[in-house]
Amino acid sequence: MSSARKIAYKTLLHYEKKGGALRAAIEESCRRVPGLEDRDKAFSRDLVSGVVQRRNTLDWCLNQVSRRKIDSLDPAVRASLRLGAFQMLFMRDRAPAYAAVNESVELAKEHAPAGAAAFVNGVLRSLERKRDGLPWPDEGKQLVQALSLRHSHPEW
């Protein structure tokens, strides 16, 4: 498992549970891994900041392909799903889908409740199959929701 993804995962989980300053959380997580290359630090920062910035869009996409709503899941499962979905939807040039799925499943095996890894695998594979056909809101009929999802901003 890549150190960068593991750092990103732990940072996201910590941030979701405790909040606080995101940048400081990322830097602290990176400091805990001796000998971490600058390339991996940058990838971790990109993953964490991207997941946090795109959370609204990621959760909507995941809810489209999951039988369980993302808000009802264990925080460790949510972090695995969001991390994998972000890579699959917004980092395709840097993280192939198979790697995003595999690493997210491995993180779920290590940190989430029993059986969660199979769930994460199924949801992310479903997202990969359906991502180009997701039923995005029509701007002509649902402008606020469409803009909210496109820019990952609350509807208010």
Side-chain angles (χ1 to χ4, degrees):
M1 184 180 330
S2 85
S3 296
R5 286 181 176 98
K6 197 169 196 174
I7 289 168
Y9 174 82
K10 288 182 177 183
T11 303
L12 288 169
L13 200 52
H14 176 82
Y15 182 73
E16 182 169 333
K17 289 180 178 179
K18 299 186 180 181
L22 185 61
R23 185 176 180 95
I26 295 169
E27 295 305 321
E28 177 62 28
S29 293
C30 288
R31 273 194 296 275
R32 290 183 181 168
V33 179
L36 187 66
E37 295 182 19
D38 289 341
R39 171 180 60 110
D40 288 334
K41 287 179 188 176
F43 190 51
S44 292
R45 280 192 294 269
D46 291 349
L47 289 172
V48 172
S49 60
V51 167
V52 170
Q53 289 171 351
R54 295 288 187 172
R55 182 177 161 179
N56 185 38
T57 304
L58 294 171
D59 287 0
W60 182 85
C61 291
L62 290 165
N63 282 333
Q64 299 304 305
V65 298
S66 174
R67 64 184 185 279
R68 295 183 58 203
K69 297 297 178 195
I70 189 93
D71 288 339
S72 72
L73 301 173
D74 181 85
V77 178
R78 275 196 304 264
S80 294
L81 286 169
R82 287 174 178 155
L83 190 59
F86 176 73
Q87 293 171 80
M88 293 167 62
L89 297 171
F90 299 103
M91 296 186 90
R92 293 192 74 79
D93 58 326
R94 292 175 62 190
Y98 71 86
V101 172
N102 183 56
E103 297 281 335
S104 294
V105 168
E106 291 301 317
L107 288 166
K109 282 180 187 175
E110 189 174 330
H111 300 282
F119 178 75
V120 168
N121 184 51
V123 170
L124 291 178
R125 287 183 184 277
S126 182
L127 179 61
E128 178 60 19
R129 280 191 312 273
K130 297 177 182 178
R131 74 181 186 90
D132 292 330
L134 291 175
W136 294 95
D138 181 2
E139 284 188 25
K141 297 176 183 171
Q142 300 165 299
L143 180 61
V144 173
Q145 185 182 20
L147 291 174
S148 172
L149 291 174
R150 179 183 305 153
H151 300 290
S152 198
H153 194 278
E155 287 187 22
W156 54 263

